[in-house]
Amino acid sequence: MNTIFKRLAAVLLCIMLLTGCEFNRTVSLTYNVTTGDSIKVTLDSSEGHGLKNSGDGFEVNNGEKIILQGFFVDQSMYEGYVEAVSSQQEAVIRQETDREEMHVISYTYEGQAGTEQNYIVWIEGSSTGVVIGSLAEVSEADEAFGRLVFSKE
């Protein structure tokens, strides 16, 4: 009888531990960029999103669909992107905000490939910016971007 109670208690403990676990997984990649910074890209992958290297940058996907593509820039290139977005009629700034050590400008651009949802990010405390583009719908692109965090290592 004592053995049955021990096994029952062990099963209950396992169930409590499993239900108490949070399934919020993250994946990270670290890049040594041309600015001399080491930049960590972290993605909340709990909803099936993935992060992988892509040429000079990274991609965020969900299944087979690429949602975001990004690359790193120095300060002068970052400032050039910000100036271009501010002066182009085809670009509509949706939001400019600070979050988690990043200054973010999100905008929509009517380009040759279609409507783009783009993001320009400055990583605070670094010499590095990030330019991210997407051809996904705004809600899908924003949801994927909201899962990203950039930090200087």
Side-chain angles (χ1 to χ4, degrees):
M1 186 85 158
N2 194 14
T3 306
I4 293 173
F5 286 119
K6 286 182 183 178
R7 288 184 182 169
L8 182 58
V11 169
L12 288 174
L13 180 62
C14 287
I15 290 171
M16 289 181 353
L17 289 174
L18 288 174
T19 58
C21 291
E22 185 176 320
F23 292 103
N24 185 11
R25 298 175 301 181
T26 61
V27 294
S28 298
L29 295 172
T30 302
Y31 294 86
N32 293 316
V33 296
T34 58
T35 63
D37 291 331
S38 180
I39 301 296
K40 183 177 181 181
V41 181
T42 303
L43 174 73
D44 172 353
S45 62
S46 62
E47 295 293 322
H49 290 79
L51 177 66
K52 71 176 196 171
N53 287 315
S54 172
D56 292 335
F58 60 90
E59 291 179 354
V60 174
N61 58 36
N62 197 340
E64 296 295 316
K65 184 175 183 181
I66 297 171
I67 301 180
L68 303 173
Q69 294 180 301
F71 60 94
F72 303 98
V73 295
D74 63 19
Q75 186 170 0
S76 65
M77 288 182 72
Y78 169 83
E79 290 170 354
Y81 274 97
V82 171
E83 185 178 319
V85 167
S86 299
S87 65
Q88 290 182 356
Q89 288 182 321
E90 298 86 3
V92 176
I93 295 175
R94 294 185 292 120
Q95 187 176 25
E96 186 167 354
T97 188
D98 293 310
R99 76 169 174 95
E100 300 185 46
E101 307 294 322
M102 305 179 301
H103 182 76
V104 179
I105 300 171
S106 62
Y107 66 99
T108 300
Y109 178 77
E110 295 298 330
Q112 292 180 352
T115 303
E116 300 175 17
Q117 312 307 326
N118 298 324
Y119 309 85
I120 306 170
V121 179
W122 186 255
I123 303 164
E124 298 298 331
S126 78
S127 301
T128 305
V130 187
V131 176
I132 302 170
S134 177
L135 290 172
E137 294 294 323
V138 67
S139 59
E140 186 176 25
D142 281 350
E143 198 266 334
F145 179 77
R147 295 176 170 281
L148 284 173
V149 176
F150 301 92
S151 58
K152 181 179 176 186
E153 291 297 295

